[in-house]
PDB file of all heavy atoms in Angstrom:
ATOM      1  N   TYR A1112     213.833 110.692  89.226  1.00 92.00           N
ATOM      2  CA  TYR A1112     213.863 109.255  88.950  1.00 92.00           C
ATOM      3  C   TYR A1112     212.753 108.782  88.018  1.00 92.00           C
ATOM      4  O   TYR A1112     212.704 107.605  87.666  1.00 92.00           O
ATOM      5  CB  TYR A1112     213.796 108.485  90.267  1.00 92.00           C
ATOM      6  CG  TYR A1112     215.064 108.599  91.081  1.00 92.00           C
ATOM      7  CD1 TYR A1112     215.125 109.435  92.196  1.00 92.00           C
ATOM      8  CD2 TYR A1112     216.210 107.889  90.733  1.00 92.00           C
ATOM      9  CE1 TYR A1112     216.286 109.552  92.940  1.00 92.00           C
ATOM     10  CE2 TYR A1112     217.376 107.999  91.478  1.00 92.00           C
ATOM     11  CZ  TYR A1112     217.406 108.829  92.576  1.00 92.00           C
ATOM     12  OH  TYR A1112     218.559 108.942  93.315  1.00 92.00           O
ATOM     13  N   GLY A1113     211.845 109.654  87.650  1.00 93.00           N
ATOM     14  CA  GLY A1113     210.776 109.257  86.747  1.00 93.00           C
ATOM     15  C   GLY A1113     209.814 108.263  87.357  1.00 93.00           C
ATOM     16  O   GLY A1113     209.387 107.309  86.695  1.00 93.00           O
ATOM     17  N   VAL A1114     209.488 108.463  88.652  1.00 94.00           N
ATOM     18  CA  VAL A1114     208.585 107.551  89.352  1.00 94.00           C
ATOM     19  C   VAL A1114     207.443 108.344  89.980  1.00 94.00           C
ATOM     20  O   VAL A1114     207.464 109.575  90.021  1.00 94.00           O
ATOM     21  CB  VAL A1114     209.329 106.750  90.440  1.00 94.00           C
ATOM     22  CG1 VAL A1114     210.351 105.813  89.817  1.00 94.00           C
ATOM     23  CG2 VAL A1114     210.000 107.678  91.448  1.00 94.00           C
ATOM     24  N   SER A1115     206.452 107.617  90.489  1.00 95.00           N
ATOM     25  CA  SER A1115     205.277 108.257  91.083  1.00 95.00           C
ATOM     26  C   SER A1115     205.514 108.554  92.568  1.00 95.00           C
ATOM     27  O   SER A1115     206.446 108.024  93.184  1.00 95.00           O
ATOM     28  CB  SER A1115     204.060 107.342  90.945  1.00 95.00           C
ATOM     29  OG  SER A1115     204.252 106.159  91.706  1.00 95.00           O
ATOM     30  N   ARG A1116     204.630 109.365  93.141  1.00 95.00           N
ATOM     31  CA  ARG A1116     204.731 109.684  94.571  1.00 95.00           C
ATOM     32  C   ARG A1116     204.607 108.434  95.458  1.00 95.00           C
ATOM     33  O   ARG A1116     205.336 108.322  96.450  1.00 95.00           O
ATOM     34  CB  ARG A1116     203.675 110.725  94.954  1.00 95.00           C
ATOM     35  CG  ARG A1116     204.063 112.150  94.549  1.00 95.00           C
ATOM     36  CD  ARG A1116     203.015 113.152  94.999  1.00 95.00           C
ATOM     37  NE  ARG A1116     203.373 114.506  94.590  1.00 95.00           N
ATOM     38  CZ  ARG A1116     204.037 115.370  95.343  1.00 95.00           C
ATOM     39  NH1 ARG A1116     204.420 115.016  96.564  1.00 95.00           N
ATOM     40  NH2 ARG A1116     204.325 116.586  94.900  1.00 95.00           N
ATOM     41  N   PRO A1117     203.678 107.481  95.162  1.00 96.00           N
ATOM     42  CA  PRO A1117     203.624 106.280  96.005  1.00 96.00           C
ATOM     43  C   PRO A1117     204.944 105.508  96.030  1.00 96.00           C
ATOM     44  O   PRO A1117     205.323 104.953  97.066  1.00 96.00           O
ATOM     45  CB  PRO A1117     202.498 105.457  95.364  1.00 96.00           C
ATOM     46  CG  PRO A1117     201.606 106.476  94.730  1.00 96.00           C
ATOM     47  CD  PRO A1117     202.538 107.522  94.206  1.00 96.00           C
ATOM     48  N   VAL A1118     205.648 105.470  94.906  1.00 96.00           N
ATOM     49  CA  VAL A1118     206.948 104.797  94.855  1.00 96.00           C
ATOM     50  C   VAL A1118     207.938 105.508  95.768  1.00 96.00           C
ATOM     51  O   VAL A1118     208.661 104.881  96.556  1.00 96.00           O
ATOM     52  CB  VAL A1118     207.484 104.741  93.405  1.00 96.00           C
ATOM     53  CG1 VAL A1118     208.959 104.338  93.380  1.00 96.00           C
ATOM     54  CG2 VAL A1118     206.662 103.772  92.570  1.00 96.00           C
ATOM     55  N   VAL A1119     207.976 106.835  95.687  1.00 96.00           N
ATOM     56  CA  VAL A1119     208.882 107.626  96.523  1.00 96.00           C
ATOM     57  C   VAL A1119     208.541 107.421  98.001  1.00 96.00           C
ATOM     58  O   VAL A1119     209.428 107.214  98.837  1.00 96.00           O
ATOM     59  CB  VAL A1119     208.804 109.116  96.157  1.00 96.00           C
ATOM     60  CG1 VAL A1119     209.538 109.970  97.195  1.00 96.00           C
ATOM     61  CG2 VAL A1119     209.400 109.344  94.769  1.00 96.00           C
ATOM     62  N   ARG A1120     207.262 107.456  98.337  1.00 95.00           N
ATOM     63  CA  ARG A1120     206.867 107.322  99.738  1.00 95.00           C
ATOM     64  C   ARG A1120     207.221 105.958 100.297  1.00 95.00           C
ATOM     65  O   ARG A1120     207.652 105.832 101.446  1.00 95.00           O
ATOM     66  CB  ARG A1120     205.357 107.588  99.868  1.00 95.00           C
ATOM     67  CG  ARG A1120     205.020 109.065  99.697  1.00 95.00           C
ATOM     68  CD  ARG A1120     203.532 109.302  99.564  1.00 95.00           C
ATOM     69  NE  ARG A1120     203.255 110.708  99.314  1.00 95.00           N
ATOM     70  CZ  ARG A1120     202.106 111.169  98.861  1.00 95.00           C
ATOM     71  NH1 ARG A1120     201.088 110.324  98.616  1.00 95.00           N
ATOM     72  NH2 ARG A1120     201.935 112.466  98.644  1.00 95.00           N
ATOM     73  N   GLU A1121     207.064 104.911  99.480  1.00 95.00           N
ATOM     74  CA  GLU A1121     207.410 103.567  99.936  1.00 95.00           C
ATOM     75  C   GLU A1121     208.915 103.456 100.177  1.00 95.00           C
ATOM     76  O   GLU A1121     209.356 102.864 101.169  1.00 95.00           O
ATOM     77  CB  GLU A1121     206.963 102.520  98.919  1.00 95.00           C
ATOM     78  CG  GLU A1121     207.196 101.092  99.401  1.00 95.00           C
ATOM     79  CD  GLU A1121     206.715 100.040  98.426  1.00 95.00           C
ATOM     80  OE1 GLU A1121     205.948 100.382  97.490  1.00 95.00           O
ATOM     81  OE2 GLU A1121     207.103  98.880  98.581  1.00 95.00           O
ATOM     82  N   ALA A1122     209.704 104.012  99.282  1.00 95.00           N
ATOM     83  CA  ALA A1122     211.160 103.968  99.443  1.00 95.00           C
ATOM     84  C   ALA A1122     211.592 104.735 100.693  1.00 95.00           C
ATOM     85  O   ALA A1122     212.447 104.263 101.464  1.00 95.00           O
ATOM     86  CB  ALA A1122     211.849 104.545  98.206  1.00 95.00           C
ATOM     87  N   ILE A1123     210.998 105.913 100.919  1.00 96.00           N
ATOM     88  CA  ILE A1123     211.335 106.712 102.101  1.00 96.00           C
ATOM     89  C   ILE A1123     210.917 105.980 103.378  1.00 96.00           C
ATOM     90  O   ILE A1123     211.654 105.967 104.371  1.00 96.00           O
ATOM     91  CB  ILE A1123     210.658 108.100 102.044  1.00 96.00           C
ATOM     92  CG1 ILE A1123     211.180 108.906 100.847  1.00 96.00           C
ATOM     93  CG2 ILE A1123     210.895 108.870 103.336  1.00 96.00           C
ATOM     94  CD1 ILE A1123     212.663 109.170 100.847  1.00 96.00           C
ATOM     95  N   PHE A1124     209.756 105.336 103.353  1.00 94.00           N
ATOM     96  CA  PHE A1124     209.314 104.553 104.509  1.00 94.00           C
ATOM     97  C   PHE A1124     210.326 103.461 104.830  1.00 94.00           C
ATOM     98  O   PHE A1124     210.663 103.217 105.993  1.00 94.00           O
ATOM     99  CB  PHE A1124     207.939 103.943 104.253  1.00 94.00           C
ATOM    100  CG  PHE A1124     207.478 103.029 105.356  1.00 94.00           C
ATOM    101  CD1 PHE A1124     206.911 103.546 106.513  1.00 94.00           C
ATOM    102  CD2 PHE A1124     207.633 101.654 105.251  1.00 94.00           C
ATOM    103  CE1 PHE A1124     206.510 102.706 107.542  1.00 94.00           C
ATOM    104  CE2 PHE A1124     207.233 100.806 106.286  1.00 94.00           C
ATOM    105  CZ  PHE A1124     206.668 101.341 107.434  1.00 94.00           C
ATOM    106  N   ARG A1125     210.821 102.796 103.794  1.00 94.00           N
ATOM    107  CA  ARG A1125     211.804 101.730 103.988  1.00 94.00           C
ATOM    108  C   ARG A1125     213.091 102.290 104.596  1.00 94.00           C
ATOM    109  O   ARG A1125     213.685 101.705 105.505  1.00 94.00           O
ATOM    110  CB  ARG A1125     212.082 101.090 102.627  1.00 94.00           C
ATOM    111  CG  ARG A1125     213.110 100.003 102.576  1.00 94.00           C
ATOM    112  CD  ARG A1125     212.544  98.682 103.027  1.00 94.00           C
ATOM    113  NE  ARG A1125     212.874  98.418 104.418  1.00 94.00           N
ATOM    114  CZ  ARG A1125     212.103  97.789 105.267  1.00 94.00           C
ATOM    115  NH1 ARG A1125     210.917  97.352 104.905  1.00 94.00           N
ATOM    116  NH2 ARG A1125     212.479  97.586 106.494  1.00 94.00           N
ATOM    117  N   LEU A1126     213.525 103.429 104.111  1.00 95.00           N
ATOM    118  CA  LEU A1126     214.726 104.086 104.651  1.00 95.00           C
ATOM    119  C   LEU A1126     214.524 104.489 106.109  1.00 95.00           C
ATOM    120  O   LEU A1126     215.436 104.365 106.933  1.00 95.00           O
ATOM    121  CB  LEU A1126     215.072 105.315 103.816  1.00 95.00           C
ATOM    122  CG  LEU A1126     215.568 105.050 102.389  1.00 95.00           C
ATOM    123  CD1 LEU A1126     215.458 106.317 101.546  1.00 95.00           C
ATOM    124  CD2 LEU A1126     216.999 104.535 102.394  1.00 95.00           C
ATOM    125  N   GLN A1127     213.317 104.964 106.440  1.00 95.00           N
ATOM    126  CA  GLN A1127     213.004 105.327 107.822  1.00 95.00           C
ATOM    127  C   GLN A1127     213.015 104.085 108.720  1.00 95.00           C
ATOM    128  O   GLN A1127     213.563 104.111 109.830  1.00 95.00           O
ATOM    129  CB  GLN A1127     211.638 106.002 107.900  1.00 95.00           C
ATOM    130  CG  GLN A1127     211.596 107.396 107.284  1.00 95.00           C
ATOM    131  CD  GLN A1127     210.181 107.942 107.178  1.00 95.00           C
ATOM    132  OE1 GLN A1127     209.222 107.177 107.067  1.00 95.00           O
ATOM    133  NE2 GLN A1127     210.045 109.259 107.208  1.00 95.00           N
ATOM    134  N   ALA A1128     212.410 103.004 108.241  1.00 92.00           N
ATOM    135  CA  ALA A1128     212.348 101.769 109.020  1.00 92.00           C
ATOM    136  C   ALA A1128     213.744 101.235 109.327  1.00 92.00           C
ATOM    137  O   ALA A1128     213.973 100.648 110.392  1.00 92.00           O
ATOM    138  CB  ALA A1128     211.537 100.716 108.265  1.00 92.00           C
ATOM    139  N   ASP A1129     214.680 101.465 108.418  1.00 92.00           N
ATOM    140  CA  ASP A1129     216.045 100.987 108.611  1.00 92.00           C
ATOM    141  C   ASP A1129     216.925 101.997 109.342  1.00 92.00           C
ATOM    142  O   ASP A1129     218.123 101.764 109.529  1.00 92.00           O
ATOM    143  CB  ASP A1129     216.677 100.633 107.254  1.00 92.00           C
ATOM    144  CG  ASP A1129     216.038  99.407 106.625  1.00 92.00           C
ATOM    145  OD1 ASP A1129     215.445  98.605 107.368  1.00 92.00           O
ATOM    146  OD2 ASP A1129     216.120  99.253 105.395  1.00 92.00           O
ATOM    147  N   GLY A1130     216.338 103.120 109.738  1.00 91.00           N
ATOM    148  CA  GLY A1130     217.069 104.107 110.507  1.00 91.00           C
ATOM    149  C   GLY A1130     218.077 104.919 109.726  1.00 91.00           C
ATOM    150  O   GLY A1130     218.937 105.590 110.312  1.00 91.00           O
ATOM    151  N   LEU A1131     217.968 104.904 108.407  1.00 95.00           N
ATOM    152  CA  LEU A1131     218.926 105.632 107.577  1.00 95.00           C
ATOM    153  C   LEU A1131     218.538 107.093 107.396  1.00 95.00           C
ATOM    154  O   LEU A1131     219.398 107.945 107.147  1.00 95.00           O
ATOM    155  CB  LEU A1131     219.053 104.959 106.209  1.00 95.00           C
ATOM    156  CG  LEU A1131     219.711 103.581 106.223  1.00 95.00           C
ATOM    157  CD1 LEU A1131     219.648 102.938 104.844  1.00 95.00           C
ATOM    158  CD2 LEU A1131     221.150 103.676 106.700  1.00 95.00           C
ATOM    159  N   VAL A1132     217.249 107.384 107.487  1.00 96.00           N
ATOM    160  CA  VAL A1132     216.785 108.768 107.398  1.00 96.00           C
ATOM    161  C   VAL A1132     215.759 109.007 108.497  1.00 96.00           C
ATOM    162  O   VAL A1132     215.191 108.067 109.052  1.00 96.00           O
ATOM    163  CB  VAL A1132     216.145 109.081 106.019  1.00 96.00           C
ATOM    164  CG1 VAL A1132     217.114 108.801 104.878  1.00 96.00           C
ATOM    165  CG2 VAL A1132     214.840 108.308 105.823  1.00 96.00           C
ATOM    166  N   HIS A1133     215.550 110.280 108.815  1.00 94.00           N
ATOM    167  CA  HIS A1133     214.473 110.632 109.737  1.00 94.00           C
ATOM    168  C   HIS A1133     213.773 111.865 109.183  1.00 94.00           C
ATOM    169  O   HIS A1133     214.389 112.704 108.509  1.00 94.00           O
ATOM    170  CB  HIS A1133     215.001 110.900 111.154  1.00 94.00           C
ATOM    171  CG  HIS A1133     215.973 112.034 111.243  1.00 94.00           C
ATOM    172  ND1 HIS A1133     215.599 113.338 111.467  1.00 94.00           N
ATOM    173  CD2 HIS A1133     217.333 112.052 111.123  1.00 94.00           C
ATOM    174  CE1 HIS A1133     216.662 114.100 111.490  1.00 94.00           C
ATOM    175  NE2 HIS A1133     217.737 113.366 111.277  1.00 94.00           N
ATOM    176  N   THR A1134     212.480 111.948 109.456  1.00 92.00           N
ATOM    177  CA  THR A1134     211.675 113.051 108.932  1.00 92.00           C
ATOM    178  C   THR A1134     211.323 114.021 110.044  1.00 92.00           C
ATOM    179  O   THR A1134     210.864 113.615 111.112  1.00 92.00           O
ATOM    180  CB  THR A1134     210.387 112.507 108.281  1.00 92.00           C
ATOM    181  OG1 THR A1134     210.741 111.626 107.201  1.00 92.00           O
ATOM    182  CG2 THR A1134     209.530 113.641 107.731  1.00 92.00           C
ATOM    183  N   ARG A1135     211.583 115.295 109.795  1.00 89.00           N
ATOM    184  CA  ARG A1135     211.206 116.344 110.725  1.00 89.00           C
ATOM    185  C   ARG A1135     209.921 116.974 110.210  1.00 89.00           C
ATOM    186  O   ARG A1135     209.868 117.410 109.059  1.00 89.00           O
ATOM    187  CB  ARG A1135     212.306 117.410 110.816  1.00 89.00           C
ATOM    188  CG  ARG A1135     213.660 116.878 111.249  1.00 89.00           C
ATOM    189  CD  ARG A1135     214.716 117.969 111.190  1.00 89.00           C
ATOM    190  NE  ARG A1135     216.057 117.440 111.348  1.00 89.00           N
ATOM    191  CZ  ARG A1135     217.162 118.123 111.102  1.00 89.00           C
ATOM    192  NH1 ARG A1135     217.068 119.388 110.667  1.00 89.00           N
ATOM    193  NH2 ARG A1135     218.348 117.575 111.261  1.00 89.00           N
ATOM    194  N   HIS A1136     208.915 116.962 111.034  1.00 85.00           N
ATOM    195  CA  HIS A1136     207.603 117.452 110.618  1.00 85.00           C
ATOM    196  C   HIS A1136     207.711 118.876 110.073  1.00 85.00           C
ATOM    197  O   HIS A1136     208.194 119.786 110.754  1.00 85.00           O
ATOM    198  CB  HIS A1136     206.615 117.409 111.782  1.00 85.00           C
ATOM    199  CG  HIS A1136     205.223 117.807 111.410  1.00 85.00           C
ATOM    200  ND1 HIS A1136     204.445 117.061 110.542  1.00 85.00           N
ATOM    201  CD2 HIS A1136     204.482 118.884 111.766  1.00 85.00           C
ATOM    202  CE1 HIS A1136     203.271 117.676 110.391  1.00 85.00           C
ATOM    203  NE2 HIS A1136     203.275 118.776 111.120  1.00 85.00           N
ATOM    204  N   GLY A1137     207.298 119.033 108.836  1.00 84.00           N
ATOM    205  CA  GLY A1137     207.301 120.340 108.208  1.00 84.00           C
ATOM    206  C   GLY A1137     208.644 120.807 107.695  1.00 84.00           C
ATOM    207  O   GLY A1137     208.742 121.892 107.102  1.00 84.00           O
ATOM    208  N   ALA A1138     209.697 119.988 107.925  1.00 88.00           N
ATOM    209  CA  ALA A1138     211.041 120.426 107.518  1.00 88.00           C
ATOM    210  C   ALA A1138     211.668 119.511 106.472  1.00 88.00           C
ATOM    211  O   ALA A1138     212.658 119.876 105.847  1.00 88.00           O
ATOM    212  CB  ALA A1138     211.958 120.511 108.736  1.00 88.00           C
ATOM    213  N   GLY A1139     211.123 118.289 106.299  1.00 93.00           N
ATOM    214  CA  GLY A1139     211.671 117.391 105.296  1.00 93.00           C
ATOM    215  C   GLY A1139     212.320 116.162 105.900  1.00 93.00           C
ATOM    216  O   GLY A1139     212.253 115.924 107.107  1.00 93.00           O
ATOM    217  N   THR A1140     212.957 115.387 105.035  1.00 96.00           N
ATOM    218  CA  THR A1140     213.595 114.136 105.428  1.00 96.00           C
ATOM    219  C   THR A1140     215.101 114.281 105.312  1.00 96.00           C
ATOM    220  O   THR A1140     215.617 114.749 104.292  1.00 96.00           O
ATOM    221  CB  THR A1140     213.098 112.980 104.540  1.00 96.00           C
ATOM    222  OG1 THR A1140     211.669 112.844 104.691  1.00 96.00           O
ATOM    223  CG2 THR A1140     213.753 111.666 104.923  1.00 96.00           C
ATOM    224  N   TYR A1141     215.821 113.857 106.356  1.00 97.00           N
ATOM    225  CA  TYR A1141     217.264 114.070 106.447  1.00 97.00           C
ATOM    226  C   TYR A1141     218.000 112.738 106.629  1.00 97.00           C
ATOM    227  O   TYR A1141     217.470 111.800 107.242  1.00 97.00           O
ATOM    228  CB  TYR A1141     217.594 114.992 107.616  1.00 97.00           C
ATOM    229  CG  TYR A1141     217.082 116.396 107.438  1.00 97.00           C
ATOM    230  CD1 TYR A1141     215.745 116.704 107.680  1.00 97.00           C
ATOM    231  CD2 TYR A1141     217.920 117.421 107.000  1.00 97.00           C
ATOM    232  CE1 TYR A1141     215.256 117.992 107.500  1.00 97.00           C
ATOM    233  CE2 TYR A1141     217.445 118.713 106.816  1.00 97.00           C
ATOM    234  CZ  TYR A1141     216.109 118.992 107.072  1.00 97.00           C
ATOM    235  OH  TYR A1141     215.630 120.264 106.885  1.00 97.00           O
ATOM    236  N   VAL A1142     219.226 112.676 106.114  1.00 96.00           N
ATOM    237  CA  VAL A1142     220.064 111.489 106.277  1.00 96.00           C
ATOM    238  C   VAL A1142     220.479 111.384 107.740  1.00 96.00           C
ATOM    239  O   VAL A1142     221.034 112.323 108.312  1.00 96.00           O
ATOM    240  CB  VAL A1142     221.313 111.557 105.373  1.00 96.00           C
ATOM    241  CG1 VAL A1142     222.207 110.339 105.611  1.00 96.00           C
ATOM    242  CG2 VAL A1142     220.902 111.652 103.909  1.00 96.00           C
ATOM    243  N   ALA A1143     220.206 110.225 108.357  1.00 95.00           N
ATOM    244  CA  ALA A1143     220.499 110.033 109.781  1.00 95.00           C
ATOM    245  C   ALA A1143     221.855 109.375 110.011  1.00 95.00           C
ATOM    246  O   ALA A1143     222.535 109.678 110.989  1.00 95.00           O
ATOM    247  CB  ALA A1143     219.404 109.194 110.435  1.00 95.00           C
ATOM    248  N   LYS A1144     222.238 108.445 109.151  1.00 93.00           N
ATOM    249  CA  LYS A1144     223.531 107.786 109.317  1.00 93.00           C
ATOM    250  C   LYS A1144     224.010 107.229 107.994  1.00 93.00           C
ATOM    251  O   LYS A1144     223.223 107.016 107.062  1.00 93.00           O
ATOM    252  CB  LYS A1144     223.454 106.670 110.369  1.00 93.00           C
ATOM    253  CG  LYS A1144     222.552 105.505 109.999  1.00 93.00           C
ATOM    254  CD  LYS A1144     222.553 104.461 111.113  1.00 93.00           C
ATOM    255  CE  LYS A1144     221.598 103.312 110.797  1.00 93.00           C
ATOM    256  NZ  LYS A1144     221.557 102.319 111.884  1.00 93.00           N
ATOM    257  N   ARG A1145     225.306 106.991 107.911  1.00 93.00           N
ATOM    258  CA  ARG A1145     225.948 106.493 106.700  1.00 93.00           C
ATOM    259  C   ARG A1145     226.520 105.107 106.963  1.00 93.00           C
ATOM    260  O   ARG A1145     227.457 104.960 107.742  1.00 93.00           O
ATOM    261  CB  ARG A1145     227.072 107.449 106.267  1.00 93.00           C
ATOM    262  CG  ARG A1145     227.878 106.975 105.071  1.00 93.00           C
ATOM    263  CD  ARG A1145     229.067 107.891 104.833  1.00 93.00           C
ATOM    264  NE  ARG A1145     229.883 107.428 103.724  1.00 93.00           N
ATOM    265  CZ  ARG A1145     230.855 106.521 103.822  1.00 93.00           C
ATOM    266  NH1 ARG A1145     231.118 105.970 105.010  1.00 93.00           N
ATOM    267  NH2 ARG A1145     231.551 106.158 102.767  1.00 93.00           N
ATOM    268  N   PRO A1146     225.973 104.064 106.322  1.00 91.00           N
ATOM    269  CA  PRO A1146     226.564 102.727 106.462  1.00 91.00           C
ATOM    270  C   PRO A1146     227.989 102.694 105.899  1.00 91.00           C
ATOM    271  O   PRO A1146     228.394 103.569 105.133  1.00 91.00           O
ATOM    272  CB  PRO A1146     225.624 101.832 105.631  1.00 91.00           C
ATOM    273  CG  PRO A1146     224.348 102.604 105.529  1.00 91.00           C
ATOM    274  CD  PRO A1146     224.755 104.046 105.500  1.00 91.00           C
ATOM    275  N   ARG A1147     228.713 101.673 106.266  1.00 89.00           N
ATOM    276  CA  ARG A1147     230.095 101.536 105.809  1.00 89.00           C
ATOM    277  C   ARG A1147     230.151 101.212 104.317  1.00 89.00           C
ATOM    278  O   ARG A1147     229.227 100.616 103.759  1.00 89.00           O
ATOM    279  CB  ARG A1147     230.801 100.442 106.609  1.00 89.00           C
ATOM    280  CG  ARG A1147     231.021 100.821 108.064  1.00 89.00           C
ATOM    281  CD  ARG A1147     231.311  99.625 108.929  1.00 89.00           C
ATOM    282  NE  ARG A1147     232.496  98.917 108.479  1.00 89.00           N
ATOM    283  CZ  ARG A1147     232.806  97.678 108.861  1.00 89.00           C
ATOM    284  NH1 ARG A1147     231.995  97.019 109.672  1.00 89.00           N
ATOM    285  NH2 ARG A1147     233.898  97.101 108.430  1.00 89.00           N
ATOM    286  N   ASP A1148     231.269 101.589 103.685  1.00 89.00           N
ATOM    287  CA  ASP A1148     231.448 101.356 102.253  1.00 89.00           C
ATOM    288  C   ASP A1148     231.270  99.891 101.882  1.00 89.00           C
ATOM    289  O   ASP A1148     230.752  99.560 100.816  1.00 89.00           O
ATOM    290  CB  ASP A1148     232.849 101.802 101.804  1.00 89.00           C
ATOM    291  CG  ASP A1148     233.041 103.308 101.933  1.00 89.00           C
ATOM    292  OD1 ASP A1148     232.027 104.032 101.998  1.00 89.00           O
ATOM    293  OD2 ASP A1148     234.197 103.756 101.969  1.00 89.00           O
ATOM    294  N   GLU A1149     231.709  98.992 102.783  1.00 89.00           N
ATOM    295  CA  GLU A1149     231.665  97.555 102.490  1.00 89.00           C
ATOM    296  C   GLU A1149     230.254  97.041 102.271  1.00 89.00           C
ATOM    297  O   GLU A1149     230.063  95.993 101.636  1.00 89.00           O
ATOM    298  CB  GLU A1149     232.330  96.755 103.620  1.00 89.00           C
ATOM    299  CG  GLU A1149     233.816  96.956 103.760  1.00 89.00           C
ATOM    300  CD  GLU A1149     234.176  98.121 104.670  1.00 89.00           C
ATOM    301  OE1 GLU A1149     233.288  98.962 104.946  1.00 89.00           O
ATOM    302  OE2 GLU A1149     235.336  98.184 105.102  1.00 89.00           O
ATOM    303  N   PHE A1150     229.274  97.747 102.812  1.00 88.00           N
ATOM    304  CA  PHE A1150     227.891  97.282 102.666  1.00 88.00           C
ATOM    305  C   PHE A1150     227.500  97.150 101.198  1.00 88.00           C
ATOM    306  O   PHE A1150     226.890  96.158 100.795  1.00 88.00           O
ATOM    307  CB  PHE A1150     226.936  98.237 103.393  1.00 88.00           C
ATOM    308  CG  PHE A1150     225.482  97.877 103.224  1.00 88.00           C
ATOM    309  CD1 PHE A1150     225.001  96.668 103.669  1.00 88.00           C
ATOM    310  CD2 PHE A1150     224.594  98.749 102.619  1.00 88.00           C
ATOM    311  CE1 PHE A1150     223.659  96.330 103.511  1.00 88.00           C
ATOM    312  CE2 PHE A1150     223.257  98.434 102.450  1.00 88.00           C
ATOM    313  CZ  PHE A1150     222.795  97.214 102.905  1.00 88.00           C
ATOM    314  N   LEU A1151     227.865  98.145 100.385  1.00 85.00           N
ATOM    315  CA  LEU A1151     227.521  98.087  98.962  1.00 85.00           C
ATOM    316  C   LEU A1151     228.216  96.930  98.260  1.00 85.00           C
ATOM    317  O   LEU A1151     227.661  96.318  97.349  1.00 85.00           O
ATOM    318  CB  LEU A1151     227.896  99.399  98.270  1.00 85.00           C
ATOM    319  CG  LEU A1151     226.991 100.605  98.526  1.00 85.00           C
ATOM    320  CD1 LEU A1151     227.460 101.790  97.694  1.00 85.00           C
ATOM    321  CD2 LEU A1151     225.540 100.291  98.217  1.00 85.00           C
ATOM    322  N   ARG A1152     229.431  96.627  98.687  1.00 85.00           N
ATOM    323  CA  ARG A1152     230.179  95.529  98.057  1.00 85.00           C
ATOM    324  C   ARG A1152     229.595  94.174  98.430  1.00 85.00           C
ATOM    325  O   ARG A1152     229.561  93.251  97.616  1.00 85.00           O
ATOM    326  CB  ARG A1152     231.647  95.603  98.491  1.00 85.00           C
ATOM    327  CG  ARG A1152     232.516  94.469  97.960  1.00 85.00           C
ATOM    328  CD  ARG A1152     233.970  94.662  98.341  1.00 85.00           C
ATOM    329  NE  ARG A1152     234.172  94.764  99.776  1.00 85.00           N
ATOM    330  CZ  ARG A1152     234.277  93.704 100.586  1.00 85.00           C
ATOM    331  NH1 ARG A1152     234.173  92.480 100.101  1.00 85.00           N
ATOM    332  NH2 ARG A1152     234.483  93.863 101.874  1.00 85.00           N
TER     333      ARG A1152
END
């Protein structure tokens, strides 16, 4: 995406706060759930 690490970390934090991803210590960040298609619309 051509962005810095602080930008990435802030975005991931936001995704975690919304329950969309979860981070496994030492294993990475994984998608936790998929919102419905209508959300984007």
Side-chain angles (χ1 to χ4, degrees):
Y1112 289 104
V1114 294
S1115 65
R1116 282 182 181 266
V1118 167
V1119 169
R1120 287 169 184 164
E1121 185 178 345
I1123 297 300
F1124 175 81
R1125 178 80 262 146
L1126 291 162
Q1127 290 171 332
D1129 291 338
L1131 292 174
V1132 303
H1133 61 90
T1134 300
R1135 302 175 191 167
H1136 184 66
T1140 300
Y1141 294 79
V1142 177
K1144 65 180 177 182
R1145 176 187 178 274
R1147 292 162 59 196
D1148 294 340
E1149 293 88 344
F1150 177 61
L1151 285 184
R1152 177 176 58 83

